[in-house]
Amino acid sequence: MNTFALLEYSAWGLSILLGLWMLVDMFRTDRSYSEDLLTSSREGEIEDASAVDPPQKRGSR
Amino acid sequence: MTAETSPANGERISLLRVLGPGHVWALGVGIVLVGEYMGWNFAVGKGGAIAALIACWFAGLLYTCVAMIDSEVTSTVAAAGGQYAQAKHIVGPLMAFNVGLYLVFAYTMLEAANAITLGHLVQTVGAMAGFENTNDKPFIVLTIMFLAWLNYRGVYTTLTFSLVITAFAFISICVLFFAVQPWSDVYIQHDQMLTGLPYGWLGVLAALHFGMWFYLGIEGTTQAAEEVRSPARALPLGTMTGIITLLIAATMTWYICSGLMPWEYLGQSVTPLFDAARLTNSTLLMVLLFIGTIFSALASANCCINDASRAWFSMGRDHYLPQVFGAVHPKYRTPYRAIVFLVPVALVFAYFAPLDRVITFSILSGLLEYTFMAFSVILFRKKWPLGSIKRGYVHPFHPLPAVMLLVLCAATYFAVFLGYGTQLIAMMVFYIVASLWFALHRYKYVRRGEQFAMPWPKPVGY
């Protein structure tokens, strides 16, 4: 195996890792927060006080 | 067992307002600057170097109109989705659905094209280093996955990254411009290289197709509307400085390349600025412009993911698409489902579609969007005249920019038709079918009243 082949395998490996990271985080987030909260964004919330930083509690994750 | 966090007291999650005018500049210029490094020179192949310069000026005029119109409307409609949100408020749901699709396809195709380019560059380096049978696919996939991951993790880091690499790519062009000593004829030989119009004025018209490459994507600045700290200030400032930067970069690029290379070669070059650096015999310039080429493609793909995901997210939020895409990540405050959903779409196009088809689909979607903008701003001024609504920026000479934009769009449609008529028709059929699906099936799910959350007065005449 030459150096470039090693680079190619590393690129595949890193791509799979990044993809898995996003998928795992997405599923964990979806399970930890209610759908109503996740889809609660509204346009035009420039000075809307009800748009807040949600509490960073993530249940029993 | 997982404990679920629910909204309490009407609490909501919104996208994070952390961006400044610099990030808006990076978003606009970052998408486009790759067009200076590669692609614009096919205009030279269509009609010669002079034709490419005329195309550069006309396309520059077209995009200056786009930037001015965008700055005015978006400083008022400060919502993610950019032109989609504008269409929703100013024209109506069917137009908004179409504009949303134009945006998603224009940016996703452009992202795929940038990933293909990066893969090709790495493959070329491998071949130059003596490695046989190198494969570009792993690097294409890595580019898309890494940038999607970056976008998933937060908008501030994503656009700060774009700001740094875009500034590097722009400065590299400036360094090359001064290194070739434009005040002397040591390197630049315009008196020998410029040979008039080899294909006459028809060549000039044909060159318009690729002349757009100098600026295609500057309108993407509007996608940051919901994430900038001060939309009324940051959006017009970022967009207008962005188009000024691109006009300067385009002029310098044309001046350098057309003075160093004969049009027959320049019109086919894959990396014209890098080739110009090679002609100076300076290793430093070669390294600088090679890194600039890589950075410009990376910045463009990065900003495309940002823009396409915001458009997809906005459509999901208003139920133009399934509502699941309207979700915001509670920690990173990004439209995470839209970002993840568009990854396989970009991968399929980058993996299987030929580069020229991908680029043409992107250009055509962009053109449809600009045509809409010309009509949109006329309607905007009619429905909400000056003084009836607070504007962060008022563009001058209305309706001249809108009329000019329409005329230039019509000329560019003809130019595209000359080279890619079948694709133009195929794409129109696609959007008509999508419109029928929306009108006959999807529209019943749309949040009719709730989608208009802006505190605007009623339009004149309603």
Side-chain angles (χ1 to χ4, degrees):
Chain A
M1 188 189 296
N2 63 36
T3 316
F4 208 83
L6 203 65
L7 272 179
E8 287 176 8
Y9 283 119
S10 307
W12 282 125
L14 198 54
S15 301
I16 291 167
L17 271 180
L18 292 169
L20 279 176
W21 188 95
M22 283 189 282
L23 283 177
V24 168
D25 185 79
M26 187 172 75
F27 286 124
R28 290 175 73 180
T29 303
D30 290 351
R31 286 182 63 199
S32 304
Y33 294 87
S34 78
E35 189 65 12
D36 285 346
L37 182 65
L38 293 173
T39 57
S40 61
S41 162
R42 298 285 176 272
E43 74 169 19
E45 289 178 327
I46 300 174
E47 290 160 5
D48 191 339
S50 63
V52 296
D53 275 319
Q56 295 297 319
K57 54 188 176 190
R58 292 214 161 187
S60 56
R61 285 173 52 181
Chain B
M1 188 75 184
T2 305
E4 217 178 47
T5 304
S6 300
N9 305 321
E11 282 179 350
R12 298 202 295 268
I13 309 176
S14 61
L15 298 176
L16 207 52
R17 287 196 174 277
V18 286
L19 304 178
H23 294 104
V24 178
W25 176 89
L27 188 58
V29 179
I31 285 188
V32 189
L33 208 60
V34 67
E36 263 75 337
Y37 276 89
M38 54 185 74
W40 71 272
N41 54 305
F42 296 129
V44 177
K46 292 276 181 182
I50 300 278
L53 180 63
I54 298 170
C56 168
W57 286 342
F58 273 97
L61 205 55
L62 185 154
Y63 279 93
T64 305
C65 295
V66 166
M68 289 200 305
I69 291 169
D70 246 354
S71 294
E72 174 171 335
V73 184
T74 309
S75 68
T76 314
V77 190
Q83 290 81 7
Y84 155 78
Q86 297 174 16
K88 186 178 74 179
H89 286 276
I90 298 167
V91 185
L94 185 59
M95 187 76 245
F97 176 74
N98 273 283
V99 171
L101 281 191
Y102 304 157
L103 291 166
V104 172
F105 278 109
Y107 294 128
T108 309
M109 299 293 111
L110 199 51
E111 175 199 343
N114 285 312
I116 294 170
T117 305
L118 272 165
H120 172 75
L121 286 172
V122 176
Q123 191 182 30
T124 308
V125 170
M128 283 165 69
F131 296 107
E132 297 289 323
N133 303 320
T134 53
N135 186 5
D136 59 346
K137 296 288 190 272
F139 304 103
I140 291 175
V141 175
L142 180 61
T143 302
I144 293 173
M145 297 307 287
F146 168 69
L147 295 175
W149 175 80
L150 197 63
N151 272 272
Y152 188 105
R153 300 267 304 179
V155 71
Y156 188 81
T157 313
T158 302
L159 292 189
T160 304
F161 173 67
S162 266
L163 179 62
V164 172
I165 59 178
T166 303
F168 183 95
F170 176 66
I171 291 168
S172 300
I173 299 176
C174 297
V175 169
L176 180 63
F177 181 72
F178 288 106
V180 298
Q181 303 170 27
W183 54 85
S184 73
D185 57 1
V186 176
Y187 293 102
I188 302 290
Q189 307 285 340
H190 277 133
D191 53 336
Q192 293 167 36
M193 299 295 174
L194 297 183
T195 52
L197 297 172
Y199 301 122
W201 286 97
L202 193 63
V204 176
L205 195 59
L208 263 181
H209 178 184
F210 290 104
M212 286 178 71
W213 220 229
F214 278 118
Y215 316 96
L216 183 79
I218 181 67
E219 72 283 358
T221 51
T222 58
Q223 298 295 334
E226 217 164 300
E227 290 157 285
V228 287
R229 289 188 296 268
S230 169
R233 174 178 168 271
L235 290 170
L237 190 58
T239 308
M240 299 308 277
T241 50
I243 189 71
I244 291 168
T245 307
L246 290 173
L247 288 165
I248 294 169
T251 308
M252 286 195 297
T253 301
W254 180 88
Y255 194 88
I256 297 165
C257 294
S258 65
L260 281 168
M261 288 171 264
W263 76 273
E264 295 92 337
Y265 174 80
L266 180 58
Q268 296 175 25
S269 169
V270 177
T271 49
L273 272 174
F274 177 63
D275 289 352
R278 286 168 65 189
L279 287 170
T280 64
N281 288 324
S282 159
T283 309
L284 182 69
L285 282 176
M286 276 192 268
V287 171
L288 194 67
L289 269 292
F290 181 76
I291 297 172
T293 308
I294 297 268
F295 277 8
S296 65
L298 207 55
S300 183
N302 192 30
C303 296
C304 282
I305 295 175
N306 179 90
D307 287 356
S309 61
R310 267 59 180 179
W312 198 254
F313 158 77
S314 304
M315 291 169 82
R317 186 167 63 177
D318 295 332
H319 298 198
Y320 282 57
L321 294 171
Q323 192 193 359
V324 290
F325 296 119
V328 175
H329 196 290
K331 183 178 176 189
Y332 304 124
R333 309 283 287 277
T334 52
Y336 67 113
R337 288 183 191 157
I339 292 169
V340 172
F341 177 78
L342 291 173
V343 167
V345 179
L347 283 175
V348 165
F349 280 103
Y351 220 92
F352 298 109
L355 183 61
D356 66 329
R357 299 258 169 95
V358 171
I359 288 175
T360 303
F361 203 97
S362 179
I363 288 179
L364 287 172
S365 295
L367 257 183
L368 285 168
E369 185 191 327
Y370 307 144
T371 312
F372 145 76
M373 286 172 68
F375 290 112
S376 164
V377 76
I378 292 170
L379 278 174
F380 181 58
R381 282 284 182 103
K382 203 173 160 191
K383 289 182 176 180
W384 291 276
L386 295 181
S388 67
I389 196 168
K390 192 179 173 189
R391 289 162 157 87
Y393 169 82
V394 177
H395 80 273
F397 312 122
H398 178 78
L400 193 62
V403 174
M404 272 170 53
L405 185 55
L406 269 183
V407 171
L408 291 167
C409 281
T412 315
Y413 277 120
F414 185 67
V416 175
F417 183 76
L418 289 177
Y420 295 88
T422 315
Q423 272 176 275
L424 181 62
I425 292 164
M427 204 193 62
M428 296 305 288
V429 170
F430 168 77
Y431 282 118
I432 290 168
V433 171
S435 297
L436 286 173
W437 173 80
F438 178 76
L440 300 176
H441 172 68
R442 188 68 212 172
Y443 185 59
K444 60 177 174 280
Y445 299 107
V446 170
R447 296 154 57 123
R448 312 266 168 103
E450 285 179 62
Q451 62 176 319
F452 299 107
M454 291 286 182
W456 278 16
K458 280 190 177 178
V460 171
Y462 286 81

